[in-house]
Amino acid sequence: MEKEELQAIASQLKHPSGEKGIEMANMMHETNINMTRNAIQNLNITEGNKILELGHGNAGHLEYLLKKGTNLNYYGLEMSELMFQEAQQTNHHFVVKKKAHFSLYDGNEIPFQDCFFDKVFTVNTIYFWQNPEKMILEIYRVLNKKGILCITFAQESFMKQLPFTKYEFELYTTEKAERLIEKTLFKIKYSETLKEKIKSKTGELIDRTFTTLVLEK
């Protein structure tokens, strides 16, 4: 593939837009569903939780999350206007019932008050954070005491095999991610690393190793 094509894929993964963006969102939902479910499971959701997700894509996983407890309130933040619109359409019935609330944000400042959420999670967004330490401090600010944050990402060893990750991606090993967390006030409760088989763009099955870091305020 040409450099321009690879850069275009990287850009769409970071900030989906246009017709290609809708295709990319559907592909991301299918490819990442195990990672997303793993993050949600590790949140240990309980009744009445307020839950924030950063970078939800089309939020095709929302029904799965809302079945994890009663009286849950989900809030989704996106940088991509297209994904913001797609998520609202996909989850219209939850939006109408005021169980789901979607908003746009700038990727740096979380537009909620201190100690607003019980749980926060984010899947495959850490690569794109402009200022990772500042982002984690923002999440810390909006979490309740004893609140849980799950950060799920594919390991660097897998990601660097993908030619487009040379552009716009900051890749992570567990150790690198933990060093980042250690600069903040979060406590690392544990991390879980799993291997799964996913379909490559050419349709063959390949192994992907991913990790969920579980942090507590």
Side-chain angles (χ1 to χ4, degrees):
M1 276 179 130
E2 296 294 323
K3 180 182 173 182
E4 288 76 15
E5 288 177 277
L6 295 172
Q7 285 175 319
I9 292 170
S11 184
Q12 281 288 5
L13 287 166
K14 180 180 180 180
H15 195 129
S17 60
E19 283 299 311
K20 277 267 182 269
I22 293 173
E23 279 174 41
M24 191 64 80
N26 292 332
M27 187 202 76
M28 283 195 285
H29 170 70
E30 287 170 28
T31 309
N32 297 333
I33 192 63
N34 284 341
M35 293 178 73
T36 305
R37 286 178 174 173
N38 184 261
I40 291 167
Q41 283 161 4
N42 278 297
L43 287 173
N44 195 19
I45 291 168
T46 54
E47 185 185 354
N49 277 175
K50 278 187 191 161
I51 302 160
L52 172 66
E53 181 179 12
L54 301 176
H56 48 70
N58 67 12
H61 52 275
L62 185 52
E63 186 171 4
Y64 173 83
L65 182 149
L66 290 173
K67 284 179 176 170
K68 290 288 177 189
T70 51
N71 299 321
L72 302 180
N73 265 295
Y74 168 93
Y75 294 78
L77 286 180
E78 254 298 340
M79 291 169 64
S80 161
E81 182 140 359
L82 178 69
M83 291 303 95
F84 165 67
Q85 290 165 357
E86 286 283 298
Q88 289 189 103
Q89 283 173 6
T90 305
N91 299 287
H92 179 69
H93 50 303
F94 294 129
V95 173
V96 169
K97 289 179 180 172
K98 297 196 164 20
K99 293 215 161 276
H101 318 265
F102 294 101
S103 307
L104 285 163
Y105 84 130
D106 65 0
N108 294 307
E109 291 180 12
I110 297 174
F112 290 98
Q113 67 208 52
D114 295 1
C115 306
F116 190 76
F117 295 103
D118 304 295
K119 309 282 162 71
V120 179
F121 74 107
T122 190
V123 178
N124 285 332
T125 68
I126 190 172
Y127 327 113
F128 307 120
W129 290 354
Q130 291 165 11
N131 187 329
E133 200 177 327
K134 190 169 175 244
M135 189 76 247
I136 290 168
L137 291 171
E138 264 293 274
I139 297 169
Y140 189 90
R141 177 184 68 76
V142 299
L143 259 179
N144 279 331
K145 195 168 172 27
K146 297 286 181 192
I148 298 292
L149 164 62
C150 287
I151 300 174
T152 302
F153 58 94
Q155 285 283 339
E156 179 181 28
S157 55
F158 168 78
M159 293 293 281
K160 67 183 181 189
Q161 296 172 48
L162 308 174
F164 51 80
T165 58
K166 292 197 288 269
Y167 310 101
E168 306 203 40
F169 283 74
E170 178 70 35
L171 304 183
Y172 284 84
T173 60
T174 303
E175 296 71 31
K176 182 175 172 180
E178 286 176 345
R179 283 197 301 274
L180 170 63
I181 303 308
E182 282 159 9
K183 294 179 188 172
T184 74
L185 296 164
F186 272 108
K187 296 190 283 290
I188 300 172
K189 285 188 77 181
Y190 62 91
S191 71
E192 181 176 28
T193 298
L194 298 170
K195 190 180 275 191
E196 63 173 343
K197 289 207 178 291
I198 60 163
K199 254 189 193 165
S200 72
K201 282 200 166 48
T202 53
E204 61 197 326
L205 287 174
I206 52 173
D207 288 326
R208 173 168 67 182
T209 306
F210 70 87
T211 297
T212 295
L213 284 184
V214 184
L215 316 174
E216 185 179 70
K217 181 167 177 176

